[in-house]
Amino acid sequence: MNELPQQLVNGLLLGSMYGLVAIGYTMVYGIVQLINFAHGEIFMTGAFGALSVYLWVLPNGTTMWIALPLMLIGAILVAVLVAIGAERFAYRPLRGAPRLAPLITAIGLSLALQQAVWAWYPEATSARTFPQIEGGPFHIGDVTIQTGDIFLLAAAPISMAVLAYFVMKTRTGRGMQATAQDPDTAKLMGVNTDRIIVIAFALGAVFAAIGGVAYGLKYGQIDYRMGFILGLKAFTAAVLGGIGNIYGAMIGGVVLGIAETLATAYIADIPGMDKFGSQSWADVWAFVLLILVLLFRPQGLLGERVADRA
Amino acid sequence: MRQRSLIAITAALSAGALTLTACGSRDSDDKGSDSGGTTVTIGIDAPLTGDLSALGLGIKNSVDLAAKTANKQKYVDGITFKVEALDDQAQPSSGQQNATKLVADKSVLGVVGPLNSSVAESMQKVFDDAKLVEVSPANTNPALTQGTDWATSKKRVYKSYFRTATTDAIQGPFAAQYLINDAKKKKVFVIDDKKTYGAGLAGTFTEEFKKLGGTVAGTEHINPDSKDFSAIATKVKTSGADVVYYGGEYPQAGPLSKQIKAAGAKIPVVGGDGIYSADFIKLAGATAAGDLATSVGAPVEQLPSAKEFVANYKTEGYKEAYEAYGGYSYDSAWAIIEAVKKVVDDNDGKLPDDARAKVTAAMQNVSFDGVTGKVSFDEFGDATNKQLTVYAVENGAWKPVKSGTYSG
């Protein structure tokens, strides 16, 4: 059996998840030049929001075809609330402060959110099982796709299309573009920049929540620390794609996911490299790729060169 | 503006710090009675929170039960036992901190724990310097007792370290023998998590598997922080292996088993006592049926000596199950109690001034019928009881398949 198509699909799935979370990093950075390190935790709280809906709102044994949309709504509600709360109480008071201050706040917030879920969510001190979609798997030639992964395969491009339409075609979207280019001038032109910033945080949270549900469906379990590593990877994906560029976030995610998967699968086959091919080295290769891209294309794959980069 | 931002930072940081300290203060459990006389503390170090907390809480409760039983029976005249449980979150750095803390408490005369071999590595010297005896119910890495060159020349490094669990030098080969001789598997894919326990186990397994005529279709190392093993699962499938051996613990083994089956490889995943937990089945899902685990000793429920332990555990009403190491933890604690009794008896019913050193010395000759069978230690501090059992997942629970004693 030829393994390559399956590995590419594995990478695409992993990368789509990175991409969904990366959108949040990139949008917030594009508008307020803040790296929201608590974004991984927004992804995590979204997943827990979905689980809460399944456990406490829906009657036992609800079929996933009905449960899933409601869980998605629950995930989005929780994630957006957390994100807006973070913006209002942790970041807005620091707007205009030196860049380092909100960055430290973000790291503190990230820890606080993790510990809050750990302490207050029932039995969240270890992993909690996440409901699964029945049926499957599906076979296309040599490639096997799980039922849970179909959600991810559909959600990623649809989210991207909706986001692109929103940013390009709507009034608010154009307001966001204007604010990203020059917040002061945008304000003079009558754009309510405070509102735009909140919307950027909320939109990022929506995609993180969708990613959180996808994570639960894919791995069958969620835990309070799931956002940390994934958030770091998504941030890497955002930088790889060109931070500030929403298409770049998705492309960066997919490139990163595929690179990790192929590194795990094939580097060990290169003579003399058998020590460096295992999955425990996947992260290393991901960062090697990031460094290479930044060396030769500092603005990232799709980014534009900006003079005063953080 | 500047002041407001300062306030916000301080608030955020202190909120973070408060929640962090909150985790440390959950494990206080000082219900031990104080009916006069001397109080001896048995320290416990185990992961009470985090991924491995199911096993850790089982250890804590079982030691607590041993202390309560000794107090109830007035087993050692004039001595009341109490326990002090510290959480290591399966981190070597936390383990070492806890060890320092336990050493500083003069009433601690023995420590049960830790769960992880890598944590034990960080604690051994601290305890040995203080001559404080440590009995682990769960560490299986051979190097802990027999030195890093245990395969070629055995040498005991720390005289204060003992364990009631058997080692991976026995557990890995036992699994290999079962797979080749009983399950008729010939081609294995070996995966480990690179940690002391996992890599050690995978190593001893592979050696024996090859010796018995099996072939290794591939090897992989995983990152314990990761949950995405799809690339490895695909490799396992294409390798044509008829069994997977995993050296590591259940938080990774569960998802790994699930993803291997999802990739289309309908072959059993086999592991050591690190995956022998109900949580493995919970995480691996319905496709875990047929997965195997070896664990030290015979099933606690089947031993006559264990019936009383199981009954008492139920009576005490502990919230968490005693899990894989409950019986061994009880026996570890009881070994400390026996050693304390010997020291007290030799000193006219009182604790001597150098009680710690005396207890450590007495531990070497402890011998009693425990929950898991006969408990005594050889010249390296290893358990003399070398029994093991193979368990299989059946209808969503672990069922014993074969018990035996490893013969090299």
Side-chain angles (χ1 to χ4, degrees), chain A:
Chain A
M1 176 186 129
N2 185 5
E3 190 181 306
L4 184 63
Q6 177 74 59
Q7 294 290 21
L8 285 174
V9 171
N10 291 345
L12 179 70
L13 285 165
L14 186 62
S16 303
M17 201 147 59
Y18 291 161
L20 279 174
V21 183
I23 289 170
Y25 278 103
T26 237
M27 292 220 325
V28 167
Y29 183 85
I31 303 225
V32 281
Q33 269 79 50
L34 160 75
I35 294 166
N36 179 11
F37 270 118
H39 190 61
E41 274 61 45
I42 289 169
F43 156 84
M44 181 265 293
T45 50
F48 275 94
L51 182 66
S52 309
V53 169
Y54 185 80
L55 290 178
W56 298 310
V57 178
L58 298 167
N60 268 346
T62 313
T63 161
M64 281 303 272
W65 299 114
I66 301 168
L68 194 56
L70 296 171
M71 285 164 65
L72 258 180
I73 294 171
I76 289 173
L77 272 179
V78 171
V80 167
L81 272 178
V82 172
I84 292 181
E87 196 279 331
R88 180 65 191 81
F89 297 108
Y91 299 137
R92 193 181 295 181
L94 293 177
R95 211 175 290 154
R99 288 252 174 105
L100 210 51
L103 196 70
I104 295 166
T105 308
I107 292 169
L109 187 66
S110 154
L111 280 173
L113 285 171
Q114 273 186 36
Q115 295 300 325
V117 170
W118 179 90
W120 291 313
Y121 198 89
E123 289 164 58
T125 47
S126 54
R128 292 219 50 162
T129 42
F130 200 84
Q132 297 291 289
I133 305 177
E134 296 292 317
F138 302 93
H139 300 278
I140 306 162
D142 278 346
V143 177
T144 309
I145 297 172
Q146 300 302 313
T147 336
D149 290 340
I150 290 182
F151 172 80
L152 185 54
L153 279 182
I158 293 174
S159 319
M160 254 345 260
V162 171
L163 181 63
Y165 176 83
F166 178 82
V167 172
M168 296 301 160
K169 302 283 183 200
T170 65
R171 216 178 138 74
T172 319
R174 282 198 294 271
M176 288 176 84
Q177 291 187 54
T179 313
Q181 278 169 14
D182 188 339
D184 293 334
T185 315
K187 209 180 231 168
L188 289 175
M189 298 293 148
V191 177
N192 182 347
T193 46
D194 275 347
R195 208 178 118 246
I196 294 290
I197 291 169
V198 172
I199 288 171
F201 269 92
L203 267 180
V206 169
F207 294 108
I210 296 171
V213 173
Y215 181 102
L217 291 173
K218 187 169 169 53
Y219 301 125
Q221 52 165 306
I222 55 174
D223 62 272
Y224 71 98
R225 286 179 314 187
M226 65 191 257
F228 180 71
I229 298 279
L230 201 116
L232 213 58
K233 288 290 181 59
F235 169 66
T236 311
V239 175
L240 194 62
I243 194 155
N245 184 312
I246 53 171
Y247 305 107
M250 208 40 161
I251 287 171
V254 169
V255 168
L256 190 69
I258 290 180
E260 272 187 30
T261 310
L262 294 186
T264 307
Y266 295 111
I267 283 198
D269 298 342
I270 302 169
M273 296 288 277
D274 53 332
K275 267 200 178 66
F276 309 112
S278 63
Q279 195 253 354
S280 55
W281 280 80
D283 294 357
V284 176
W285 294 115
F287 284 102
V288 167
L289 175 77
L290 177 71
I291 291 166
L292 285 178
V293 169
L294 291 184
L295 271 180
F296 296 105
R297 218 186 133 73
Q299 67 271 44
L301 294 171
L302 294 190
E304 292 157 26
R305 194 171 278 280
V306 198
D308 62 338
R309 184 166 288 277

Side-chain angles (χ1 to χ4, degrees), chain B residues 172-325:
Chain B
F174 185 76
Q177 287 183 345
Y178 177 82
L179 289 181
I180 296 261
N181 298 336
D182 298 84
K184 309 286 174 215
K185 302 287 183 191
K186 289 277 169 284
K187 214 171 162 195
V188 69
F189 198 101
V190 183
I191 305 172
D192 70 62
D193 63 0
K194 281 182 141 179
K195 291 204 276 189
T196 314
Y197 165 74
L201 195 56
T204 58
F205 167 85
T206 309
E207 203 176 302
E208 181 79 9
F209 197 82
K210 279 189 193 153
K211 211 163 78 192
L212 295 171
T215 51
V216 177
T219 51
E220 267 291 342
H221 312 285
I222 61 148
N223 181 352
D225 289 331
S226 176
K227 282 274 156 28
D228 192 276
F229 306 120
S230 51
I232 291 186
T234 303
K235 280 184 89 173
V236 168
K237 195 197 169 197
T238 42
S239 74
D242 54 13
V243 62
V244 173
Y245 191 83
Y246 175 67
E249 289 138 357
Y250 62 82
Q252 290 76 40
L256 187 66
S257 163
K258 187 184 195 134
Q259 290 177 40
I260 286 174
K261 266 92 172 184
K266 306 280 180 239
I267 56 176
V269 171
V270 186
D273 52 342
I275 79 167
Y276 176 59
S277 161
D279 280 26
F280 169 79
I281 302 171
K282 203 175 92 187
L283 295 174
T287 49
D291 283 355
L292 300 167
T294 54
S295 190
V296 285
V300 161
E301 294 81 357
Q302 286 181 6
L303 285 167
S305 56
K307 291 236 166 69
E308 200 189 322
F309 165 74
V310 176
N312 288 345
Y313 197 94
K314 208 174 262 168
T315 321
E316 281 294 334
Y318 292 112
K319 220 175 88 210
E320 304 88 2
Y322 50 82
E323 290 278 350
Y325 302 109

Side-chain angles (χ1 to χ4, degrees), chain A residues 93-94, chain B residues 1-12:
Chain A
L94 293 177
Chain B
M1 190 70 202
R2 175 147 286 234
Q3 265 183 342
R4 276 184 66 198
S5 55
L6 259 179
I7 292 166
I9 292 180
T10 334

